[in-house]
């Protein structure tokens, strides 16, 4: 997923991005996240032949679980 890292860093440019294995977190304003999600989903499908599962997209204010820990704002 090195290609994904480069794409996110140089094209999508979120305020913050963290990836571990096939899990990743992006932090950005809500309006930007919608556009970023579309760009990344399209990149993964077309370039890396990978489909994202919609259920893993969450707003941070709802809290999230990553790397075995749960986080809430």
């Amino acid at each position: 997923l090195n290609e994904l890292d480069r794409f996110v860093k140089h094209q999508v440019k979120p305020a913050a991005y963290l990836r571990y294995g096939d899990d990743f977190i992006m932090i950005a304003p809500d309006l930007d996240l919608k556009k970023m999600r579309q760009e990344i989903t399209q990149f993964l499908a077309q370039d890396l032949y990978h489909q994202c599962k919609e259920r893993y997209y969450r707003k941070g204010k709802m809290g999230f679980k990553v790397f075995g820990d749960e986080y809430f704002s």
Side-chain angles (χ1 to χ4, degrees):
L1 292 174
N2 185 45
E3 294 87 357
L4 174 64
D5 294 338
R6 285 189 266 150
F7 176 76
V8 171
K9 180 179 178 182
H10 298 292
Q11 301 293 326
V12 179
K13 300 179 182 178
Y17 170 73
L18 172 68
R19 183 179 66 81
Y20 181 78
D22 62 351
D23 295 328
F24 65 90
I25 299 170
M26 289 191 321
I27 299 172
D30 190 40
L31 295 175
D32 293 341
L33 280 175
K34 291 177 184 180
K35 181 181 175 199
M36 291 176 182
R37 181 175 82 177
Q38 291 173 343
E39 292 175 5
I40 290 171
T41 300
Q42 184 177 12
F43 174 79
L44 287 171
Q46 291 179 351
D47 293 20
L48 300 182
Y49 308 104
H50 180 78
Q51 298 296 319
C52 284
K53 296 179 181 174
E54 284 291 323
R55 64 187 174 136
Y56 293 118
Y57 292 114
R58 302 188 81 176
K59 291 183 180 182
K61 65 183 174 185
M62 295 170 26
F64 58 93
K65 185 175 182 178
V66 65
F67 315 134
D69 293 319
E70 292 187 37
Y71 299 91
F72 297 94
S73 57

